[in-house]
Amino acid sequence: MQIEPVKWFLTRMGLTFICVSIWVVYEMLIPKESLLFHFPAILSVFIIILVCSVLAKLFSCTIRKYWGSSTGESTVGQEANPEAVKKRMRSLDTFRGISIVLMIFVNSGGGKYWWVEHATWNGLHIADLVFPSFLWIMGVCIPISIKSQMSRGAGKLIICRRILWRSIKLFLIGLCLNSINGPNLSDLRIMGVLQRFGIAYLICGVAHTVFHQGNTLIPQPRIERALNDLILLKGELLILLALVAIDLGIVFGVPAPGCPKGYMGPAGKTLNPKQAHCIGGIVGYIDKKVLGNNHIYQHPTARYMYDSSGFDPEGLFGCIFTVVQVLFGMICGQIILTFPVWKDRVKRWMYWSVALGLIGGLLCMFSREGGIIPINKNLWSLSFVLVTSSLAFLLLTVLYLIIDIRNIWSGFPFEECGKNAITMYIGHMVFHRMLPWHWRIGQMNTHFVLLLEAVWNTSLWVMIAVYLDSKKLYYSL
């Protein structure tokens, strides 16, 4: 692609001028007591990003003009091998990249905006979409990866060994990250994000490998051909239904000692003192009994509002519906393998998005606190799984159309982040409190400075991912 630095510069400066104009009008017209008055911080950081982007591009163009290649072509955000681009779904890497960038931004504080942070108990905020999106994307990749390995002659036993080894590495790395503030074994948290990844990957990967039928002929009857993706996943779908039945049966049929039957609340101040320990109902009780109270997360979001006890949002019992989330992603991956025509893929993804969204919405009555199963990330409730999977189907559909079909956007820089997601995740966890990623100035008590610091940290990791991609350096477990 031919670089046009003058056109690029004028475009960015025009956007900056528009943003400044909007800001001036905003300051003049918006009442100071309005909730919208807090948004200049976002606009300010956005303007800073634009200005820095303009300066970086001008510097890059200057370097390239006097010391760079004479071809004048940019390879940033592009693969060196055109064939690799055609075979790989760039939209899937972009989706993964968006998720990891958002995760780093949220873990950096997200500017302390309430709608960015995790919901206190019931509800769905931006931060609550990150983890389920990662799990869903992992599910998409499982059928594709296993088919690729089998096409290269790998047997099922060998594949299962690889899955087991990768799951062990995920779990152990997650356990090591939990000890980052000191490896005190008496109160070391056992579960976590990567641990759940490892458990879900082990179950779903082994199940799909065992049930995989190899190269099968496309059925001739019209109905069977239309449902071929589901027929190929019939074993996995039976597991999905069984897990849903088991989870709901335990949650609503087995009360925790001293707690209301079917209770799914935060306990603490919301119940009488004798039931204050009932956070999460049977879910929290099982985690405490199996893992031990000292080895679960001690600072859940509900603790600071409801004075609740310790509760692990990535606990052991919640792995049941975590596996279900990954299985929904596997349905998407099987659609990719079964239907090569993009219109067929998009149509089926939208069917699943609408169906899962409606069912999840009905379970929570399209509200935060209503319905028989409220949407809750801490409990990883069924409505949460269905709604987040619905959004994942929808977002992948949009990205697939924009990036892979219409070529409106290359996916840059999120595609590059998606190719090194595990590196970014581990890196930002290890260097979370270190320069140059994090810094403090004064009280750090305004949205502007908190947002600027979070964007700075996130941007550094994005630049690292882009650099690694430019050197074709990728790391995967």
Side-chain angles (χ1 to χ4, degrees):
M1 180 177 65
Q2 189 69 26
I3 297 177
E4 301 179 15
V6 176
K7 182 179 179 180
W8 192 97
F9 174 79
L10 293 176
T11 302
R12 293 311 189 271
M13 290 304 298
L15 288 173
T16 305
F17 177 77
I18 293 173
C19 291
V20 173
S21 302
I22 294 174
W23 191 4
V24 172
V25 174
Y26 177 88
E27 290 282 354
M28 295 172 59
L29 299 181
I30 298 298
K32 299 297 184 290
E33 66 275 8
S34 172
L35 179 63
L36 294 175
F37 188 72
H38 295 285
F39 280 84
I42 299 176
L43 190 59
S44 302
V45 174
F46 179 70
I47 292 174
I48 291 174
I49 293 173
L50 279 178
V51 172
C52 292
S53 178
V54 169
L55 296 176
K57 176 60 74 170
L58 289 176
F59 178 77
S60 175
C61 292
T62 302
I63 293 296
R64 189 177 292 111
K65 180 178 180 180
Y66 292 101
W67 293 286
S69 172
S70 60
T71 59
E73 293 183 352
S74 172
T75 59
V76 176
Q78 299 178 10
E79 289 278 15
N81 185 359
E83 294 299 324
V85 177
K86 295 179 180 178
K87 294 180 181 180
R88 193 178 183 104
M89 271 186 59
R90 292 179 297 149
S91 54
L92 193 58
D93 285 324
T94 303
F95 191 0
R96 188 187 298 108
I98 292 173
S99 298
I100 187 60
V101 169
L102 186 57
M103 176 179 283
I104 293 174
F105 177 72
V106 169
N107 289 347
S108 301
K112 295 299 180 182
Y113 289 102
W114 66 266
W115 42 272
V116 174
E117 298 177 339
H118 291 288
T120 303
W121 192 250
N122 293 332
L124 190 67
H125 294 175
I126 292 178
D128 300 316
L129 299 174
V130 176
F131 191 15
S133 296
F134 266 118
L135 290 164
W136 187 88
I137 293 170
M138 182 177 72
V140 176
C141 297
I142 287 176
I144 300 173
S145 173
I146 291 176
K147 181 179 180 180
S148 175
Q149 293 181 65
M150 287 190 170
S151 65
R152 295 194 299 267
K156 290 187 176 182
L157 183 59
I158 294 177
I159 295 176
C160 288
R161 288 176 180 172
R162 292 172 180 170
I163 292 172
L164 176 61
W165 177 232
R166 188 182 187 193
S167 300
I168 292 173
K169 288 191 291 183
L170 284 168
F171 197 97
L172 292 179
I173 292 173
L175 197 62
C176 291
L177 290 177
N178 285 350
S179 68
I180 200 165
N181 293 321
N184 190 343
L185 298 182
S186 62
D187 58 3
L188 178 64
R189 183 188 178 196
I190 296 176
M191 296 298 293
V193 172
L194 293 183
Q195 291 90 317
R196 272 207 179 178
F197 267 106
I199 293 173
Y201 180 69
L202 176 63
I203 296 174
C204 295
V206 170
H208 187 71
T209 303
V210 172
F211 291 127
H212 193 271
Q213 303 175 23
N215 294 324
T216 57
L217 298 176
I218 300 176
Q220 295 303 317
R222 183 176 180 181
I223 296 179
E224 291 185 17
R225 188 166 64 250
L227 301 176
N228 192 32
D229 55 327
L230 299 181
I231 294 174
L232 294 174
L233 289 178
K234 57 181 179 293
E236 292 87 335
L237 293 176
L238 289 176
I239 293 177
L240 187 153
L241 295 175
L243 291 176
V244 171
I246 291 171
D247 189 288
L248 296 182
I250 294 175
V251 169
F252 291 102
V254 182
C259 303
K261 188 175 183 179
Y263 183 69
M264 301 175 68
K269 296 177 181 178
T270 64
L271 296 176
N272 63 63
K274 294 183 179 180
Q275 298 176 327
H277 66 284
C278 294
I279 180 171
I282 190 64
V283 176
Y285 176 79
I286 291 176
D287 282 348
K288 289 178 182 178
K289 284 297 179 181
V290 176
L291 302 174
N293 188 59
N294 291 337
H295 298 287
I296 64 173
Y297 190 57
Q298 298 298 320
H299 305 283
T301 51
R303 184 166 198 156
Y304 304 100
M305 179 172 289
Y306 304 110
D307 198 22
S308 304
S309 60
F311 179 85
D312 205 326
E314 285 85 41
L316 191 61
F317 187 85
C319 289
I320 296 177
F321 274 146
T322 299
V323 172
V324 172
Q325 187 108 40
V326 178
L327 289 171
F328 279 127
M330 288 172 59
I331 294 174
C332 177
Q334 190 61 51
I335 290 174
I336 295 173
L337 295 176
T338 307
F339 302 98
V341 180
W342 69 268
K343 291 183 179 179
D344 293 333
R345 294 175 177 178
V346 168
K347 180 171 62 176
R348 283 164 174 78
W349 290 343
M350 289 307 300
Y351 286 159
W352 278 103
S353 178
V354 172
L356 296 179
L358 287 176
I359 297 172
L362 290 172
L363 289 176
C364 66
M365 294 302 295
F366 296 94
S367 64
R368 187 179 67 177
E369 303 290 346
I372 58 174
I373 304 179
I375 186 166
N376 188 300
K377 188 262 181 187
N378 293 279
L379 297 172
W380 216 271
S381 64
L382 179 58
S383 57
F384 174 78
V385 172
L386 296 174
V387 170
T388 52
S389 296
S390 169
L391 294 174
F393 272 107
L394 177 61
L395 182 55
L396 181 62
T397 301
V398 174
L399 293 175
Y400 181 63
L401 290 173
I402 293 175
I403 297 173
D404 292 300
I405 304 303
R406 302 302 181 189
N407 292 314
I408 298 175
W409 175 39
S410 67
F412 179 83
F414 298 107
E415 181 188 4
E416 289 72 13
C417 296
K419 294 177 181 178
N420 263 309
I422 189 66
T423 302
M424 293 180 67
Y425 177 79
I426 296 176
H428 102 277
M429 292 292 291
V430 172
F431 301 109
H432 182 64
R433 298 180 180 180
M434 295 174 58
L435 285 171
W437 292 275
H438 279 280
W439 41 263
R440 295 185 66 85
I441 298 178
Q443 297 297 317
M444 298 287 289
N445 57 359
T446 65
H447 282 304
F448 170 74
V449 69
L450 290 169
L451 183 62
L452 184 63
E453 193 257 358
V455 171
W456 167 265
N457 174 48
T458 307
S459 299
L460 284 183
W461 285 110
V462 170
M463 287 188 284
I464 290 172
V466 172
Y467 173 78
L468 291 175
D469 180 75
S470 68
K471 299 298 182 180
K472 299 296 178 287
L473 297 174
Y474 309 105
Y475 178 76
S476 61
L477 296 177

